[in-house]
Amino acid sequence: MNRRESNNMEYKLNSSQLREYAPVLKAGDRVVLSGTVYTARDAAHKRIVASIEKGEKLPFELKDAAVYYAGPTPAPEGLAVGACGPTTSGRMDVFAPLLLDNGLAAMIGKGERNKEVCDSIIKNKAVYLCAIGGAGALASKCIKKCEVIAYDDLGCESVKRLLFEDFPLTVAIDCSGGNVFEH
């Protein structure tokens, strides 16, 4: 299950284990993730936050969930999705602390996060994972199922429930304050 190479570990986890493992995961560790993950980008985040503020039902249970900042393209023959690479996470920074405060366990994207998000990750014992940017076609091979569950009018940015199988990620910001973006 775990392999030490230099100072980093590799974990093969199910998305349902992310909350449990968050205190163990350290910046730089590799995670091979399987299980349910939800997509949400800017427009979907704006709607989710509005629903939280109004006390409305959310498109998925935030408690212990993982959100992938991605907008999969339509699926070609034989695949669950088309290209499904990460989008720049910083665009969700304004929304992330509220989602973390409401139980979100993990965020998946690319790039740095602001101080408020980093502080919220620590406070909520969550984790930020990075996917490889520019490899959306390759990433799609690790997604076995895709179902639109909310905001269909947003097209590729609708909220989708994905089934990951051995999706390669790197722990970028851990709940102890470790951050691969800091030197």
Side-chain angles (χ1 to χ4, degrees):
M1 178 171 156
N2 303 333
R3 178 175 51 115
R4 185 164 289 283
E5 194 174 289
S6 63
N7 289 327
N8 295 37
M9 297 289 288
E10 183 172 302
Y11 297 87
K12 188 172 174 75
L13 299 176
N14 186 281
S15 57
S16 64
Q17 297 174 293
L18 286 169
R19 175 71 67 199
E20 172 191 352
Y21 273 82
V24 175
L25 298 172
K26 300 298 174 209
D29 286 349
R30 289 175 299 286
V31 173
V32 179
L33 190 65
S34 297
T36 300
V37 174
Y38 299 93
T39 65
R41 287 180 46 168
D42 316 51
H45 271 74
K46 187 174 183 176
R47 290 186 187 180
I48 291 167
V49 165
S51 292
I52 290 170
E53 290 171 347
K54 293 176 186 172
E56 297 172 348
K57 185 174 182 339
L58 300 178
F60 60 94
E61 175 63 47
L62 283 176
K63 184 173 174 11
D64 299 334
V67 170
Y68 183 27
Y69 302 143
T73 62
E77 184 74 29
L79 292 175
V81 295
C84 193
T87 196
T88 302
S89 300
R91 296 194 337 239
M92 271 54 72
D93 281 1
V94 68
F95 309 112
L98 181 63
L99 272 61
L100 289 163
D101 287 347
N102 278 273
L104 189 65
M107 300 162 292
I108 302 167
K110 68 178 181 183
E112 297 181 51
R113 307 308 297 270
N114 70 24
K115 181 177 179 354
E116 291 75 25
V117 174
C118 294
D119 291 346
S120 192
I121 289 168
I122 295 165
K123 171 183 149 192
N124 291 289
K125 306 238 178 291
V127 65
Y128 170 53
L129 304 162
C130 279
I132 299 169
L138 186 60
S140 70
K141 295 177 190 243
C142 298
I143 299 170
K144 301 306 175 187
K145 190 174 176 188
C146 176
E147 171 190 13
V148 175
I149 62 167
Y151 316 139
D152 194 33
D153 61 303
L154 296 178
C156 75
E157 291 196 35
S158 62
V159 175
K160 296 171 183 70
R161 181 183 302 117
L162 303 179
L163 180 61
F164 274 19
E165 183 178 287
D166 295 336
F167 198 107
L169 300 163
T170 300
V171 177
I173 303 171
D174 64 43
C175 68
S176 299
N179 186 332
V180 298
F181 300 107
E182 293 178 350
H183 302 293

